Amino acid sequence: WSASHRGQGHGAILFCLTVFEAFERFRLQALVCEPKASNPMPNRMLAKIGFPLMRTYVGSSSELSKTVPLNQYDIRRTIAETYLARRPSA
């Protein structure tokens, strides 16, 4: 994205909409997101939305990934709904 589109909350909105789709399409009971602990952007976005940080641990997000500190967030549909309801409509 161009610099003029960054920092306006588009990523948080798209993430919340993706949460809805994932819970519906795959009939999920639970969902977690595990960004690298040292990556400020996704951690800031997830905290801003209101998803609780469950733990920080050392691990890898896949077989191909390095072992690094990860933050694990509890992705709840109700929190995504609340965040989107608070946003002013365009």
Side-chain angles (χ1 to χ4, degrees):
W1 290 21
S2 65
S4 65
H5 290 100
R6 292 185 189 141
Q8 297 183 21
H10 300 304
I13 293 168
L14 291 172
F15 188 87
C16 289
L17 293 172
T18 302
V19 168
F20 293 146
E21 185 67 22
F23 274 97
E24 289 296 315
R25 181 176 293 200
F26 302 112
R27 293 180 167 68
L28 299 179
Q29 300 299 311
L31 182 62
V32 297
C33 184
E34 297 182 334
K36 191 174 175 181
S38 64
N39 188 345
M41 294 306 287
N43 286 288
R44 192 175 316 135
M45 180 196 70
L46 294 166
K48 175 182 158 186
I49 294 170
F51 297 118
L53 176 63
M54 295 166 42
R55 67 182 179 140
T56 298
Y57 70 101
V58 176
S60 58
S61 56
S62 76
E63 295 82 25
L64 302 174
S65 301
K66 291 182 180 179
T67 300
V68 296
L70 299 170
N71 285 336
Q72 185 178 72
Y73 291 88
D74 184 9
I75 306 302
R76 299 179 190 169
R77 183 183 177 132
T78 55
I79 292 173
E81 289 171 348
T82 300
Y83 178 80
L84 290 176
R86 290 191 320 241
R87 303 284 304 165
S89 55

